[in-house]
Amino acid sequence: MNTEEFTMTIDGRAARASAMIDVVNPATGKVFASAPNASQADLDSAVAAANAAFASWRRRPLEERQSALSRMAEALEANVEPLARLLTREQGKPVVAARQEILQAVYWLKTHARLALPAAVREAAGRRIETRYTPLGVICAIAPWNFPVNLAVWKIAPALLAGNTVVLKPSPFTPLTTLKIGEVLRGVIPPGVLNVISGDDSLGPRMTIHPGFAKIAFTGSSATGKKVMASAAGDLKRLTLELGGNDAAIVLPDVDVDAIAPQIFNGAFYNTAQICIATKRLYVHEAIYDRLRDRLIEIAANTAIGDGSEPETVLGPIQNLPQYRRVRALLDEAKATDLAVIERGALPAGGGYFVPIAIVDNPPDTSRVVTEEAFGPILPMLKFSDVDDAVRRANDSEYGLAGAVWSNDIELATETAAQLETGNVWINDNLFLSPHAPFGGHKQSGLGVENGLEGVLAYTNTQTLYIPKPAT
Ligand code: NAD
């Protein structure tokens, strides 16, 4: 794979732009590549190509679209290693994690290749009533920088399966692996079915107001999600919004602290805590609070922070400079306001965007480290004595993406989990997602769902046909 030149994919062909944007390796803070900065004409060509392709793609038999998804999975699988290494360079995550991300995208494509659209038939008042699910048209797919590949494939797979075509835009911070995926898939699927374009901060807003799109599938922050929703209103574009989270985990006193501590640590800090569904507030019963805190501090002290391309690295850098500054500022404010911040982890020298792992020991519920989504490795631990009070505090958030309950009493944990106002709740688990299960947020964490059959139907219109039954 040539990782020297990065081109967009429009109508199945390489497309170069007249301007480029710099791409920085967050482990060094240095520019290492450049990506096309799509002009309005490039965007218009991508939308036109997708519109032209839609006319025939929507008419292909479902089996043909399913087998196209299987071929896409095979093409990605054949390129896992170079794609994973590139993902590490632009995103910062360790190569093992980058490989996992590509392989998960492969799995998502393969699973969607086996899904089918339902058709409901009812009979009433002498009529046969058929409800079908028809594709929407051209999808505007916008992805963030934390899981650029997974979150793109979550959109592409169901959209194409349902008969839509796509124009995909990665984050300007992580455009490269997505552009290469576009390149790898040229020739694997018909031209125009999947177009990949990249650009600076102006490209997203230009896409969301573009009249050629039928739907916007967006993953990113809640603040941007609101802007996307406003710009979709002009022509009532369909919307799926997967937004921010400030997920709470509640740990009941009967757990085996040593057994669960590594899992809780992973759920909070994997991908350097840049996960929408990471544990971001940890409510712990007072009977075990100190032991769990000390165990998490010990794990943090033994976690290697560094360049994701080094084999021993467990946590990479923060992905980009503005986010690094936000996380640093949150940490500085916590310290300046005398919160008990416990920092661990040796940071590599050089210009990379590295931050330590920080555990904040029982801060007030109103502190910013508790109320805001840090999207970086700062975990507030909060003490409780009454589980109903813990649930109330967990629910006291504008977000509602995910949550977790930890207990050996599965019945009590399940009852507690059901009281969390979030789209996803794990019991004695975290981060696990399945392509078969709908994923979405309550409150300001999103609108609609991705994944599962529900996720596929989100790329369709329902059409009900009322057919007279022949007189007998
Ligand atoms: P972001 O909102 O800054 O950017 C996301 C994408 O939107 C990028 O591609 C960006 O270029 C584009 N964009 C920016 N402004 C736009 C506008 N006005 N109109 C259209 N597009 C625009 O988010 P981010 O910083 O890349 O990602 C981090 C956030 O994403 C966190 O809040 C995280 O919780 C959230 N996230 C949510 C999920 C989920 O599934 N719920 C998954 C991953 C990340």
Side-chain angles (χ1 to χ4, degrees):
M1 177 182 292
N2 160 18
T3 49
E4 296 302 309
E5 194 197 11
F6 297 89
T7 52
M8 302 186 286
T9 299
I10 299 177
D11 207 13
R13 288 189 295 272
R16 291 174 178 79
S18 53
M20 305 293 278
I21 54 170
D22 287 339
V23 183
V24 169
N25 178 343
T28 62
K30 295 200 169 61
V31 173
F32 76 101
S34 58
N37 189 7
S39 64
Q40 187 60 36
D42 295 327
L43 169 59
D44 290 341
S45 321
V47 176
N51 255 311
F54 177 61
S56 59
W57 182 248
R58 68 175 305 173
R59 292 202 162 72
R60 306 319 309 154
L62 178 72
E63 302 71 48
E64 230 176 88
R65 298 200 299 268
Q66 288 170 323
S67 72
L69 293 187
S70 299
R71 290 195 306 276
M72 289 167 74
E74 283 156 23
L76 292 199
E77 208 164 15
N79 287 282
V80 171
E81 276 318 301
L83 288 172
R85 288 189 182 277
L86 180 61
L87 183 57
T88 291
R89 284 190 86 192
E90 68 173 338
Q91 205 285 333
K93 64 184 71 190
V95 176
V96 204
R99 198 177 288 129
Q100 255 172 21
E101 181 169 347
I102 313 285
L103 288 173
Q104 207 183 67
V106 168
Y107 170 55
W108 242 252
L109 284 163
K110 285 185 178 170
T111 306
H112 278 81
R114 291 193 299 269
L115 291 180
L117 291 160
V121 179
R122 302 166 183 91
E123 304 220 343
R127 293 164 179 83
R128 178 184 159 85
I129 305 174
E130 269 186 37
T131 300
R132 300 170 177 180
Y133 295 93
T134 60
L136 298 170
V138 181
I139 307 301
C140 166
I142 299 184
W145 46 258
N146 60 339
F147 286 89
V149 177
N150 275 352
L151 296 172
V153 167
W154 281 21
K155 297 165 179 46
I156 299 167
L160 298 192
L161 180 74
N164 305 277
T165 56
V166 173
V167 179
L168 167 67
K169 184 197 90 67
S171 165
F173 294 115
T174 53
L176 303 179
T177 316
T178 312
L179 289 168
K180 278 293 153 191
I181 287 175
E183 188 181 318
V184 162
L185 298 178
R186 282 175 210 157
V188 173
I189 47 177
V193 166
L194 172 65
N195 305 273
V196 184
I197 60 175
S198 56
D200 63 18
D201 288 344
S202 73
L203 182 56
R206 280 190 278 130
M207 287 174 79
T208 56
I209 55 162
H210 199 292
F213 289 113
K215 167 170 177 152
I216 305 168
F218 172 85
T219 302
S221 62
S222 297
T224 310
K226 289 173 194 176
K227 292 184 196 162
V228 169
M229 191 169 181
S231 66
D235 44 8
L236 284 179
K237 291 187 180 78
R238 277 36 180 171
L239 268 183
T240 300
L241 300 175
E242 295 289 1
L243 308 176
N246 194 9
D247 297 0
I250 298 176
V251 188
L252 302 183
D254 66 345
V255 294
D256 175 344
V257 169
D258 288 338
I260 67 165
Q263 256 182 293
I264 290 193
F265 184 88
N266 191 53
F269 296 110
Y270 184 76
N271 210 42
T272 316
Q274 301 162 118
I275 311 190
C276 52
I277 51 170
T279 298
K280 293 171 186 150
R281 294 175 290 150
L282 184 61
Y283 294 90
V284 185
H285 192 275
E286 59 187 0
I288 52 158
Y289 181 95
D290 288 359
R291 268 198 301 141
L292 181 57
R293 179 199 56 209
D294 294 348
R295 192 70 195 97
L296 292 176
I297 294 169
E298 202 179 308
I299 299 171
N302 292 310
T303 299
I305 299 172
D307 186 329
S309 61
E310 307 284 349
E312 64 280 3
T313 295
V314 176
L315 298 185
I318 294 289
Q319 198 282 319
N320 59 71
L321 187 57
Q323 184 60 17
Y324 168 78
R325 289 187 174 139
R326 266 199 292 277
V327 172
R328 277 271 174 211
L330 198 58
L331 206 51
D332 290 347
E333 190 194 290
K335 288 193 251 179
T337 51
D338 291 331
L339 300 186
V341 180
I342 302 148
E343 292 177 271
R344 291 291 182 275
L347 304 188
Y353 308 142
F354 294 102
V355 293
I357 301 162
I359 290 169
V360 189
D361 191 356
N362 207 23
D365 284 359
T366 52
S367 52
R368 277 183 65 206
V369 285
V370 179
T371 59
E372 287 185 20
E373 177 187 39
F375 222 59
I378 307 174
L379 178 66
M381 287 185 68
L382 302 132
K383 218 179 265 187
F384 73 86
S385 53
D386 171 55
V387 68
D388 290 336
D389 187 47
V391 168
R392 183 194 56 75
R393 291 159 74 193
N395 284 337
D396 184 17
S397 169
E398 66 198 20
Y399 293 111
L401 191 55
V405 180
W406 297 80
S407 170
N408 283 330
D409 182 341
I410 300 293
E411 205 176 314
L412 173 64
T414 309
E415 257 171 47
T416 310
Q419 294 174 55
L420 291 179
E421 297 163 356
T422 62
N424 314 273
V425 194
W426 294 280
I427 289 153
N428 299 334
D429 199 359
N430 47 31
L431 303 186
F432 174 82
L433 296 174
S434 162
H436 297 288
F439 170 82
H442 295 185
K443 304 192 233 179
Q444 294 190 29
S445 286
L447 200 68
V449 296
E450 292 191 300
N451 301 332
L453 185 58
E454 292 89 336
V456 178
L457 294 180
Y459 288 94
T460 63
N461 280 313
T462 55
Q463 182 182 54
T464 299
L465 302 182
Y466 298 89
I467 306 163
K469 286 175 70 174
T472 48

